[in-house]
Amino acid sequence: MAAILDHHVALQQAYSEFVRQYPAYLDTVKLDALRASEFSRLDEQGHVYLDYTGGGLYADRQLTDHMKLLQRGVFGNPHSSNPTSMAATELDESARRFVLEYFNASPDEYVIIFTQNASGALKLIGESYPFAPGDRYVLTFDNHNSVNGMREFARARGASVHYIPVLPPDLCADEAVLQQLLDETLPGQKTLFAFPAQSNFSGVQHPLEWIGLAQAQGWDVLLDAAAFAPTNPLDLSIWKPDFVDLSFYKIFGYPTGIGCLIAHKDKLARLHRPWFAGGTITIASVQGDGYYLAEGERGFEDGTINYLNIPAVEIGLRFIQSVGIDAIHTRVMALAGWLIDQLMGMNHTTGKPLVRLYGPANTDQRGGTVTINLFDPDGKVFDFRDVESAANDRNISLRTGCFCNPGAGEVANNLSAEDMRACFQQEERMSFEEFLLVMDGRSPGAVRASLGIASNFSDVYQFVEFARSFLDRAAE
Ligand SMILES: Cc1ncc(COP(=O)(O)O)c(C=O)c1O
């Protein structure tokens, strides 16, 4: 009882100090009420949820609104003229329009292609971008693997692949290399530049000004907004990338299984799909051995769309809009700022720092994804798997490893190209255990805490106390 009381008093004191340092947080207290009404299961079950970059959380209201909608109507497979099919088509088209509206994207300029997730959107571009020998695919080191993976499509068609390094300690990109690569284009070359608006490894936010800069030099630009969109406004009337990918579950938790590609109409028209499927053609013939692909989004949505869940995308986005993405952003950044201050201030009694932060050590040029490793007084790293396991014991949901973002992890952990090439010498597929052996105790992994719509001060406070429990301990 006394311990609980002590914890409560310490939490209150820390909160008072926090709001003194980050007074903007007080403008977002309506989100505390929202946590109590729409996300009450978090506190009822004692969860400290810090994995919003892995997956967002849904409000109770989204579920009930969706279920009511399904219970009230009769919905058939869309794209037919029967009444139940029309009812589904109407809802899906309404969701499509609303996604454009939410991102302030003009329907004259952009179309929404529903996909299974962000990776599905990226694969559509990878397989359809008309790469040819001599063309270029340029991307930053800190891309998610689904953006990295597009290099295999580029290479298979003879294009060259170039990476822009990110530099420690803040893991921002080397803009001199970026500028050099953007400058190196030849007439007639097709060039695609891809970068994350926010790195899912370090939380770094790359300048959106790069979009216009690259386009002015003839590049097509793919903006990966999967980790950015959940806690930042993305206004496509200001920023006009050619392609944007995202996953809706990362923004509002439910439903999973739907993402989208937001594509500029002119650029979409230049993509060549490698196949056709049900739903993507106007006419196809067996005996005539031909087909015509449908125009616009229809040519890119293979088979039956997720027609009963797509209406829940509109419900989710309307919910976020009612809360206000600016309020979510303000809150998340205040919490992230305090979290970083606290982590950076923790030293063992020897004076050695406990925490190494990957990404900017302030709230400039970053989002609310905070990635670290913990080190013991001798400078030995705590294995991220042990950190996660200790967090699990406290009901804290973190994410550890390299988060499908190997490039940022390699730079953060000082692993060279030579180190990494050693893992790809053998013909047989290497197991993760063998990988760890080759890495000789080093690893591109880290510990990630990420914040979102239902985060509160208690969440970050408990994470800080958790990190504090590693002070003056030896890593095994
Ligand atoms: C920046 C970024 N891009 C792409 C993806 C891929 O998203 P999904 O797994 O939903 O396809 C993720 C997922 O974490 C991400 O964080």
Side-chain angles (χ1 to χ4, degrees), residues 248-262:
F248 289 110
Y249 71 87
K250 289 196 192 285
I251 306 179
F252 42 77
Y254 170 88
T256 52
I258 309 182
C260 77
L261 172 61
I262 308 177

Side-chain angles (χ1 to χ4, degrees), residues 139-142 163-167 172-175 177-178 181 411:
L139 63 168
T140 54
F141 252 55
D142 60 348
Y163 272 102
I164 300 158
V166 293
L167 303 173
C172 290
D174 186 336
E175 296 212 44
V177 177
L178 165 71
L181 282 166
V411 173

Side-chain angles (χ1 to χ4, degrees), residues 31 41 80 99 116 118 178 194 213 244 251 257 316:
L31 277 108
R41 57 199 188 277
S80 185
V99 177
Q116 206 177 357
L178 165 71
L213 190 78
V244 181
I251 306 179

Side-chain angles (χ1 to χ4, degrees), residues 331-341 363 366-368 370 451 460:
R331 185 174 181 92
V332 160
M333 291 320 295
L335 292 171
W338 184 85
L339 175 58
I340 292 168
D341 297 344
T363 50
R366 67 141 51 250
V370 178
L451 308 172
V460 289

Side-chain angles (χ1 to χ4, degrees), residues 279-465:
T280 66
I281 42 100
T282 52
I283 315 171
S285 164
V286 169
Q287 296 185 86
D289 194 17
Y291 70 94
Y292 293 113
L293 209 64
E295 279 184 19
E297 71 272 0
R298 272 200 60 200
F300 289 80
E301 291 178 342
D302 297 337
T304 301
I305 55 174
N306 195 343
Y307 63 91
L308 290 182
N309 278 329
I310 285 174
V313 166
E314 179 167 348
I315 291 171
L317 280 182
R318 284 191 187 278
F319 170 69
I320 298 291
Q321 196 178 53
S322 72
V323 177
I325 190 73
D326 290 330
I328 297 168
H329 177 78
T330 301
R331 185 174 181 92
V332 160
M333 291 320 295
L335 292 171
W338 184 85
L339 175 58
I340 292 168
D341 297 344
Q342 298 300 307
L343 293 172
M344 296 307 280
M346 279 188 210
N347 294 316
H348 299 286
T349 43
T350 57
K352 286 268 170 59
L354 170 70
V355 173
R356 187 178 299 161
L357 173 77
Y358 306 120
N362 53 40
T363 50
D364 296 339
Q365 254 192 285
R366 67 141 51 250
T369 294
V370 178
T371 298
I372 59 170
N373 266 319
L374 298 175
F375 290 82
D376 79 0
D378 293 329
K380 194 162 174 242
V381 68
F382 284 94
D383 190 309
F384 60 78
R385 288 164 298 182
D386 296 337
V387 177
E388 179 165 352
S389 152
N392 296 346
D393 292 342
R394 294 181 181 220
N395 217 12
I396 298 177
S397 290
L398 300 172
R399 190 157 292 252
T400 64
C402 83
F403 328 118
C404 296
N405 194 322
E410 288 161 22
V411 173
N413 290 287
N414 209 12
L415 296 166
S416 67
E418 201 176 51
D419 292 329
M420 298 315 301
R421 276 194 206 109
C423 303
F424 300 97
Q425 302 300 320
Q426 60 188 51
E427 295 219 332
E428 294 281 300
R429 179 186 306 175
M430 183 181 271
S431 69
F432 188 65
E433 287 65 32
E434 288 170 319
F435 168 69
L436 290 181
L437 271 182
V438 173
M439 299 309 322
D440 195 17
R442 298 169 308 156
S443 112
V447 176
R448 184 178 80 185
S450 54
L451 308 172
I453 185 167
S455 294
N456 66 7
F457 182 70
S458 171
D459 291 333
V460 289
Y461 177 82
Q462 290 189 69
F463 180 63
V464 166
E465 291 311 298

Side-chain angles (χ1 to χ4, degrees), residues 53 117-120 122 144 146 196 198 200 224 226-227 245 247 249-250:
T53 301
N117 45 33
S119 302
L122 293 164
H144 187 275
S146 300
Q198 177 172 317
N200 70 315
D224 177 8
D245 66 282
S247 277
Y249 71 87
K250 289 196 192 285

Side-chain angles (χ1 to χ4, degrees), residues 150-174:
M150 287 171 56
R151 72 186 185 207
E152 302 305 319
F153 287 115
R155 281 200 187 119
R157 290 194 221 110
S160 59
V161 176
H162 307 265
Y163 272 102
I164 300 158
V166 293
L167 303 173
D170 61 10
L171 301 187
C172 290
D174 186 336

